Amino acid sequence: MSEFYQDGPVLGNQYQADKLLRSYLNRVLPADIFTELEPDLLNLGNRVVTDIMEMAEDAESNEPQLISFDPWGKRIDKIKTSKGWKDLDQVSAEEGMVAIGYERKYGEYSRIYQFVKLYLFHPSSAVYTCPLAMTDGAARLLEIYGDESLKNNAYKHLTSRVPGEFWTSGQWMTERTGGSDVGRTETIARFEDGGYKLYGTKWFTSATTSQMAITLARIEDEQGNTIPGSRGLSLFYLEVYTQKGQLNSITIHRLKNKLGTKALPTAELTLNGTNARLIGDIGGGVKKISSLFNITRIYNAKSSIGLMRRAIALAKDYSLRREAFGKKLAEHPLHLETLANLEVEFQGAFQSVFYTSELLGKEECGKATADEIAVLRMLTPLIKLYTAKQAIKVVSEVLESFGGAGYVEDTGIPKLLRDTQVLSIWEGTTNILSLDTLRSIEKENTFAPFIKNILNRLENISEQELLISRDKVYQSVQKIKEYFIQAVKEGKTYIETGARSFAFSLIRTFTASLMLEHAQWSLNNENDRSFTISAIRWCNQDLTPLIYPLDKHGPESKALALDEILKK
């Protein structure tokens, strides 16, 4: 009797195997641009399952180490990273992972091209996309607010394709006093010896081996006074190392022991008079840094769909190899139903994220209308908060689909789930971004353009098979509008209580319109009903899971949340 050994899943070219990606690009890119870019995407699709994946495996197997002292007791605080991590840095430069967005060779389509590459790269990158996200965000920030010196030095490094010249950037915001609440920042900036020096502790700094960082600090006057709250924060640029290669008056206390993102060096550190440069005018730091967050939040969403796609690709291949109860998993109707539901979830996320990339490219090239800029502002927090939740759900389900093997570390499946979990935390938690969505409506009047965008898309849906789903989306839009009117009337507590469900309703409904649009195009241009099926299934869910808080809702929630007793 021969022993049985189960074959694991095998990944092919990740561009070639991605039916939705190729269909989407065929729809949105001019034919000549698509023809020109496809060979590069095919090449990357192969690299992410060959040499780039090997680099990531090396980086994951050889986690960063903090060497606090040299052999003679001198404090050096050196973070040692693996060869794989360094190679991923080189690949990022050579492949133009950041540069493409700023070369703008393809105009408004450059961001689509760039984010397609990041989408393919992320699942095989050992999360090197984290420093790339902060690098891209810093580049955009300096492009907008940097002086000529910063543009001629740091900006050029951040957008370089040349290994050795390419820089990554850190984003040093989180302190012991709070993460999302940057208004509690305690880092002080003092004007000393003709320049600013920073003093304070950063509790969580990702990609600490980057050459530079962007951070917030309060400028202290000669009497030692500062302005409290977010209003008193200014934005600073610092280089991590001096020209002699020593740390810029920075003490690294420890590397964080995290649930996932193990190859990514994340440190707790103190700024002890670190030389820094003010970006722009004094004050307005939170407003300025929003240009960075807008980029990193889209990166976060791109990472979510990249991980969903990779997890589903593994699950699909495995379903054709694993036999249970006398037949392959793919022959079991319930397993097929599970995979189909995951595919629908992924396709919805894909459409919302890449549409946001389209708007970003148009805005940066001066081709976006005022309404499109408003929609981009509102979509950015929405796609980040919702796709992160989708990714956790999808990757967890994929892990389960592998049975016990999915729980075994050396299959690589658990790592996918650990790395996915951080996506709901980075760049703003779900609740913070739900409130940011409300802020965009209140401060920037984004609601009406957002709704108008959906309705304009629905007006063009005419395929008979899609009309019932189209009408469901119309109904959802009307429900959202009625809810919003009521929420505004009821006041702040009401609308904040339901902010998460409101955000979910907005993005689900918006996504439905995008899926219907692509489904109709594919029917007419590719003679393919598969995207029609996924659009209909998306629209069959509850698109508007709204909460209608009553006067007693708050006390009831408090009793449930804090184990309080509510009497009759």
Side-chain angles (χ1 to χ4, degrees), residues 43-100:
N43 179 62
L44 182 61
N46 181 61
R47 291 195 71 186
V48 296
V49 294
T50 52
D51 64 316
I52 290 176
M53 184 176 284
E54 291 174 1
M55 297 171 195
E57 289 170 351
D58 179 74
E60 294 283 354
S61 300
N62 299 282
E63 296 179 18
Q65 297 177 333
L66 173 60
I67 302 172
S68 299
F69 301 94
D70 72 7
W72 307 102
K74 181 181 178 181
R75 186 77 185 247
I76 55 173
D77 289 351
K78 179 181 178 181
I79 299 176
K80 181 181 178 182
T81 57
S82 66
K83 181 181 183 300
W85 188 254
K86 294 180 177 69
D87 289 343
L88 289 165
D89 178 82
Q90 180 171 325
V91 165
S92 298
E94 292 171 343
E95 291 282 348
M97 293 295 180
V98 175
I100 290 170

Side-chain angles (χ1 to χ4, degrees), residues 14 18 34 55 68 71 119 123 152 188 194 200 202 209 241 248 255 266 319 370 374 378 402 481 494 559 566:
Q14 288 300 285
D18 197 329
F34 186 26
M55 297 171 195
S68 299
Y119 159 75
N152 289 329
I188 299 298
K202 299 297 182 181
T209 51
Y241 300 94
N248 180 10
L255 294 180
T266 304
S319 74
M378 193 159 162
F402 278 84
K481 289 166 66 176
Y494 185 100
L566 277 184

Side-chain angles (χ1 to χ4, degrees), residues 146-329:
D147 58 25
E148 286 305 307
S149 175
L150 287 173
K151 289 179 179 177
N152 289 329
N153 181 39
Y155 174 81
K156 286 188 175 180
H157 282 294
L158 296 173
T159 57
S160 175
R161 283 180 178 260
V162 181
E165 293 182 10
F166 175 62
W167 283 8
T168 56
S169 176
Q171 177 182 309
W172 296 0
M173 304 297 162
T174 305
E175 302 192 2
R176 288 191 293 252
T177 49
S180 300
D181 187 2
V182 295
R184 300 183 68 192
T185 295
E186 294 181 336
T187 299
I188 299 298
R190 297 181 184 137
F191 197 79
E192 301 173 340
D193 303 324
Y196 285 103
K197 295 183 184 294
L198 305 185
Y199 298 86
T201 296
K202 299 297 182 181
W203 189 77
F204 199 98
T205 64
S206 284
T208 316
T209 51
S210 294
Q211 291 87 348
M212 58 165 280
I214 302 293
T215 191
L216 294 168
R218 298 182 193 285
I219 294 178
E220 191 176 74
D221 64 20
E222 293 179 356
Q223 288 73 43
N225 299 317
T226 60
I227 299 173
S230 299
R231 189 169 59 90
L233 292 172
S234 296
L235 192 62
F236 288 89
Y237 159 89
L238 65 87
E239 293 183 10
V240 178
Y241 300 94
T242 67
Q243 290 183 345
K244 295 182 179 180
Q246 298 173 332
L247 284 170
N248 180 10
S249 299
I250 298 169
T251 301
I252 301 175
H253 302 296
R254 58 174 171 161
L255 294 180
K256 297 293 191 179
N257 184 14
K258 301 162 293 178
L259 172 68
T261 67
K262 296 289 189 177
L264 173 67
T266 304
E268 181 179 341
L269 54 82
T270 295
L271 308 174
N272 303 301
T274 301
N275 292 311
R277 292 180 58 178
L278 180 68
I279 300 176
D281 299 328
I282 292 174
V286 175
K287 180 181 179 180
K288 292 186 187 77
I289 207 167
S290 66
S291 61
L292 187 156
F293 290 153
N294 289 339
I295 300 297
T296 57
R297 286 171 177 171
I298 297 174
Y299 264 77
N300 200 97
K302 199 70 64 179
S303 298
S304 292
I305 61 172
L307 283 166
M308 277 190 265
R309 168 73 187 111
R310 176 61 56 84
I312 292 170
L314 290 166
K316 285 181 176 179
D317 187 81
Y318 190 64
S319 74
L320 299 170
R321 298 173 184 275
R322 176 64 174 172
E323 184 178 299
F325 304 105
K327 53 187 176 180
K328 295 290 194 290
L329 293 178

Side-chain angles (χ1 to χ4, degrees), residues 510-528:
F510 196 96
T511 297
S513 73
L514 292 171
M515 295 183 76
L516 290 171
E517 178 181 52
H518 188 78
Q520 179 163 284
W521 177 88
S522 184
L523 278 173
N524 293 332
N525 293 275
E526 299 175 321
N527 194 26
D528 187 349

